[in-house]
Amino acid sequence: MSGDLNRADCAFVDRWLEDWLAGRLDPDVAGRIDEHVAGCERCRQLKAVVAGSEADANGAPEDGAFLSAVMDQTTGSPCGRAETLLPGLVDEDLDADSREILQAHLAHCSGCSRLLAALQEAQRVLPTLAEFEPPLGFTQRVLGATVGAAPPPWWLRVLARPRASLELAYVGAVLLVVLLGNPVAAFTQAEQRASQLAGAVPVARLSEQLGVRDAATEIVAQVLSMATSVVNAVQTEVATRLNEARALVQAVQTAIANAIAWISNIDISQMLGRDQAPPPRGQPTEPGVRR
Amino acid sequence: MQLATLLERCRQGDELAWEAFVRQYQRRLYSLATCYATDADDARDLAQDIFVRLYRTRKQWTEADVFVPWMIRVARNVCLDRVRARKARPPASDIPAEDLADLAATSGNPDEDYGVAMRRRLFYRALRRLTGISREIILLKDIQGLQIEEIASMLHIPLGTVKSRSNRARLELARNVLALQGQGPTTSGGGDQ
């Protein structure tokens, strides 16, 4: 019931159809249903069928649109279930009941009938694809590669294996470790050895001799100062961005909390109460209970 | 010649028997190879590799009553080795139907032959559109005619799984056929009840 809450829709008609036909509804409600049915082809058909079925149980029409409407309101399309049974029908592997209801469906469903025809044709055609004529000279090629041909050496057969490259890489890695020792060993005590090497280089003495000691010290100090200032600037910038991000997250959290509080305060039952039809005239009824 | 006799002579190294064996099964194994090949040359090389593998293992051939399923298993292993070497599943677009002259029929009636050939090409194209596992199940069960038990053993999956996958693959194939015919896929709810 969208838009005007005082107007009936198809679901409303479905719910109160029997009471409406039996004249047990308030005039206001009945009028709303009259107004909807007058403009709804589906509900007109539904009314005709239900009214007819009450008069004559065998009078239901064989109408595709009506059946589709009923299936849509109940189980949905049966084609999916029919498709799962089709291979069994082709293989004659279905029990009698399943075969009967499937054939009843196929009599009225062109889509499933086409699928069945394709399955049946596949059963005839696929076995004919079992043999293809190879190209000319194929037999001679095979005989040349087998009879009298020397088998390839063992290493060629090994290389022809699909995982040969992986296996070779593994063997190579193992060999390297065995031959060269632990590759990590070269880096153990690296710091200590580096210090020894650095101590052995007479840098200080050379600097004094060349008279460049003070100049070099000043240059190093300037470089260190510049690096420190750059690091400080980066740290400040990162801290600013982090603070902005935190503020943004807090604002979003607050907005979500406000929205949840607003939604929880809505009185849904009060809103829905306007959609409920008034109880039928005379006796109270419960929806879904047939009389 | 009985298959058992032919196999025994091949085991003993009889070259004539081996030639007869190749001629007897080359069409079947070439057909199987086409489903894993990337083009016609690849199919020919693959089929040749299958025969070379069979020849080298002829001392281990099984008895005649179970030989054909065993041979197809060996052929499939050769094909999968090639596929693994290519680091990929067989591509969906392998050998075009037009490149397979044997898809034509030769009943003597040109009109009938044309119709039959067109239907075979249609199903071959629909088969090429299937996913890897669906195509393999159709290939083994519906084309090569293996029993479900043999397929289950070959693919290392339960019997029930083979049956359900086979049904799904056949439905997928039928939908592809209808789509190629321009009748569109028949999805659930597509009927005209």
Side-chain angles (χ1 to χ4, degrees), chain A:
Chain A
M1 201 179 300
S2 60
D4 187 354
L5 294 174
N6 290 321
R7 295 186 60 182
D9 59 8
C10 295
F12 189 87
V13 174
D14 291 346
R15 183 175 180 186
W16 300 110
L17 182 63
E18 291 184 25
D19 292 325
W20 174 57
L21 290 172
R24 290 193 291 262
L25 293 182
D26 289 336
D28 178 43
V29 178
R32 285 159 56 190
I33 293 180
D34 285 338
E35 185 183 349
H36 175 80
V37 170
C40 178
E41 174 64 25
R42 171 199 172 273
C43 290
R44 269 206 305 280
Q45 286 188 357
L46 192 62
K47 174 197 171 190
V49 170
V50 174
S53 68
E54 287 179 353
D56 178 8
N58 297 320
E62 287 288 333
D63 188 277
F66 170 72
L67 181 58
S68 294
V70 172
M71 297 305 290
D72 288 344
Q73 294 282 323
T74 53
T75 61
S77 170
C79 291
R81 169 69 178 146
E83 286 179 7
T84 63
L85 295 178
L86 285 177
L89 185 67
V90 174
D91 297 339
E92 299 180 352
D93 198 21
L94 284 186
D95 61 86
D97 292 336
S98 297
R99 190 169 61 244
E100 184 181 343
I101 58 172
L102 179 58
Q103 284 173 338
H105 171 78
L106 291 169
H108 297 92
C109 180
S110 63
C112 289
S113 297
R114 284 198 298 269
L115 200 58
L116 175 65
L119 280 170
Q120 288 169 332
E121 189 177 8
Q123 199 175 33
R124 291 193 303 273
V125 172
L126 288 177
T128 69
L129 301 179
E131 293 189 347
F132 290 161
E133 192 66 46
L136 285 175
F138 177 77
T139 311
Q140 296 310 317
R141 279 175 60 103
V142 170
L143 294 176
T146 53
V147 179
W154 65 269
W155 56 269
L156 204 57
R157 291 202 299 273
V158 169
L159 285 179
R161 289 163 53 82
R163 307 181 72 175
S165 56
L166 194 65
E167 292 164 352
L168 281 176
Y170 180 78
V171 171
V174 170
L175 280 177
L176 280 176
V177 169
V178 170
L179 293 176
L180 303 178
N182 185 356
V184 182
F187 300 101
T188 56
Q189 300 179 337
E191 188 178 356
Q192 186 179 352
R193 284 189 287 165
S195 300
Q196 290 173 355
L197 283 174
V201 177
V203 176
R205 187 161 50 84
L206 283 174
S207 299
E208 284 174 0
Q209 288 174 353
L210 294 174
V212 296
R213 182 178 182 183
D214 294 341
T217 305
E218 187 175 349
I219 290 172
V220 169
Q222 285 181 355
V223 169
L224 284 175
S225 173
M226 287 172 62
T228 306
S229 62
V230 168
V231 169
N232 288 337
V234 169
Q235 282 179 337
T236 308
E237 184 68 19
V238 169
T240 307
R241 298 294 179 200
L242 280 175
N243 287 334
E244 289 175 358
R246 276 195 209 100
L248 184 63
V249 169
Q250 283 177 353
V252 171
Q253 284 177 337
T254 307
I256 291 173
N258 290 338
I260 291 172
W262 181 77
I263 290 170
S264 62
N265 287 332
I266 296 174
D267 190 351
I268 296 175
S269 61
Q270 189 177 0
M271 291 179 68
L272 293 177
R274 300 181 65 187
D275 283 350
Q276 296 294 324
R281 194 171 52 198
Q283 52 184 337
T285 60
E286 291 185 14
V289 178
R290 294 175 64 89
R291 287 184 297 276

Side-chain angles (χ1 to χ4, degrees), chain B residues 141-177:
Chain B
K141 179 173 175 288
D142 299 287
I143 296 181
Q144 294 294 336
L146 296 190
Q147 298 297 313
I148 287 180
E149 293 81 4
E150 293 162 349
I151 298 172
S153 164
M154 197 180 296
L155 301 182
H156 306 291
I157 52 178
L159 274 180
T161 307
V162 175
K163 287 180 186 172
S164 60
R165 283 189 178 176
S166 166
N167 287 344
R168 280 205 300 271
R170 288 157 70 197
L171 282 170
E172 196 181 337
L173 179 77
R175 287 193 195 98
N176 286 349
V177 167

Side-chain angles (χ1 to χ4, degrees), chain B:
Chain B
M1 183 187 290
Q2 293 289 321
L3 178 60
T5 310
L6 182 64
L7 298 183
E8 183 53 36
R9 289 198 178 189
C10 286
R11 282 193 200 99
Q12 293 169 358
D14 185 334
E15 297 172 0
L16 276 178
W18 170 244
E19 182 185 7
F21 176 89
V22 174
R23 291 191 188 283
Q24 182 167 337
Y25 288 108
Q26 63 181 3
R27 291 166 56 88
R28 188 163 190 172
L29 294 180
Y30 182 71
S31 166
L32 189 141
T34 58
C35 285
Y36 294 90
T38 54
D39 54 41
D41 288 341
D42 192 35
R44 185 196 59 198
D45 293 344
L46 202 46
Q48 180 176 319
D49 287 351
I50 293 170
F51 278 109
V52 170
R53 175 84 64 92
L54 286 171
Y55 184 76
R56 286 190 191 141
T57 59
R58 63 188 184 279
K59 304 271 197 246
Q60 303 151 26
W61 285 1
T62 60
E63 295 306 313
D65 52 346
V66 290
F67 178 75
V68 170
W70 179 84
M71 177 181 71
I72 290 177
R73 182 192 290 252
V74 170
R76 177 176 174 270
N77 288 341
V78 172
C79 293
L80 290 184
D81 283 351
R82 177 72 67 93
V83 169
R84 289 192 195 105
R86 283 199 304 256
K87 308 281 186 195
R89 270 271 177 193
S93 57
D94 41 16
I95 305 175
E98 291 73 17
D99 290 356
L100 292 171
D102 205 54
L103 284 175
T106 53
S107 71
N109 182 340
D111 290 339
E112 186 181 332
D113 283 353
Y114 180 76
V116 171
M118 291 304 288
R119 300 309 291 177
R120 295 181 72 189
R121 287 193 170 127
L122 174 69
F123 275 84
Y124 182 76
R125 286 195 191 99
L127 188 64
R128 281 166 44 197
R129 289 184 169 198
L130 293 181
T131 54
I133 184 67
S134 295
R135 186 156 53 155
E136 204 158 34
I137 294 237
I138 294 263
L139 170 68
L140 297 175
K141 179 173 175 288
D142 299 287
I143 296 181
Q144 294 294 336
L146 296 190
Q147 298 297 313
I148 287 180
E149 293 81 4
E150 293 162 349
I151 298 172
S153 164
M154 197 180 296
L155 301 182
H156 306 291
I157 52 178
L159 274 180
T161 307
V162 175
K163 287 180 186 172
S164 60
R165 283 189 178 176
S166 166
N167 287 344
R168 280 205 300 271
R170 288 157 70 197
L171 282 170
E172 196 181 337
L173 179 77
R175 287 193 195 98
N176 286 349
V177 167
L178 294 180
L180 286 169
Q181 286 177 317
Q183 297 181 22
T186 58
T187 55
S188 297
D192 58 351
Q193 295 147 12

